[in-house]
Amino acid sequence: MIPLDEVQKIYNDVSEWLKFAEAKHAGLFAIWIALLIGVVSTDLFSTLNMTLQVIIIIVILLGSSINLFSFVPFLNRFVWLKNHCFKKYSSIGENVVFYQSIFVKTYKDNIDESIEEYKKILARKGFGVINDNLINDYIRQIIEVSTVGTIKVYLFSLAVKYTVIVMIITAVGLIIA
């Protein structure tokens, strides 16, 4: 039988990955907001025509909105987003402690089916039968937190790609101007 402390260790590890993903989003969001404040408060910004000002503000707000969206509660309830994450990370191998692997390998329409799948994975890794209610509750949380963590990492990768594209376009625009 799998010991409770082992399940708690897995849960703690998965939770740490979620915290790390949230911290990255918070950092990038802060950068976008600082950029917005910095750009809007410059004298150069006020000399630009209104259309260019609006474009700049929209580009910055769009970048920050990706990070802001990552803080929406219950991200794991957005089926279309879970599907995109599953497609992106579906090649990840079986691992009972890595949050993205847990998400991919337990991805089901029903949380009870996901719990049973995770128990099968644990059994393949040498753990015995799991019928303890507390351990089942931890497994449920491990799956839910793994799902949210994977979604947040996926959104962060989108946010970084958007940021890089904006930086390249800005650099090219400055070179041309």
Side-chain angles (χ1 to χ4, degrees), residues 9-176:
K9 287 178 188 175
I10 294 170
Y11 173 73
N12 289 334
D13 185 60
V14 167
S15 295
E16 288 300 314
W17 279 106
L18 176 61
K19 289 177 194 175
F20 181 60
E22 288 175 337
K24 292 190 307 185
H25 276 288
L28 191 52
F29 180 76
I31 290 170
W32 279 114
I33 297 306
L35 180 63
L36 177 66
I37 292 168
V39 165
V40 171
S41 64
T42 63
D43 292 334
L44 178 62
F45 184 77
S46 60
T47 64
L48 299 173
N49 69 44
M50 181 65 83
T51 304
L52 194 52
Q53 288 178 347
V54 169
I55 290 171
I56 290 170
I57 290 173
I58 288 173
V59 166
I60 293 172
L61 290 178
L62 184 58
S64 65
S65 68
I66 297 169
N67 299 112
L68 195 57
F69 178 68
S70 78
F71 293 112
V72 170
F74 304 110
L75 277 175
N76 56 333
R77 304 298 186 249
F78 292 98
V79 175
W80 58 271
L81 190 53
K82 282 173 54 173
N83 288 337
H84 282 287
C85 291
F86 179 76
K87 288 176 187 171
K88 177 164 177 74
Y89 301 114
S90 63
S91 64
I92 291 177
E94 188 172 279
N95 184 322
V96 295
V97 296
F98 183 54
Y99 72 102
Q100 288 180 346
S101 176
I102 295 167
F103 164 70
V104 168
K105 299 305 177 187
T106 63
Y107 184 68
K108 308 282 183 210
D109 291 332
N110 179 304
I111 186 65
D112 292 327
E113 292 174 11
S114 296
I115 291 169
E116 291 306 313
E117 185 61 35
Y118 192 62
K119 287 180 181 180
K120 290 176 188 174
I121 294 168
L122 288 169
R124 284 194 295 270
K125 297 293 183 173
F127 295 103
V129 177
I130 302 165
N131 288 322
D132 183 84
N133 288 336
L134 181 58
I135 290 177
N136 284 335
D137 288 344
Y138 267 106
I139 289 173
R140 176 183 302 272
Q141 282 303 107
I142 288 167
I143 292 168
E144 295 286 356
V145 172
S146 294
T147 301
V148 173
T150 301
I151 291 170
K152 287 182 185 274
V153 167
Y154 174 76
L155 289 173
F156 187 75
S157 72
L158 292 179
V160 168
K161 288 174 188 172
Y162 179 82
T163 303
V164 169
I165 290 169
V166 168
M167 290 171 55
I168 291 170
I169 290 172
T170 302
V172 169
L174 290 172
I175 291 170
I176 292 172

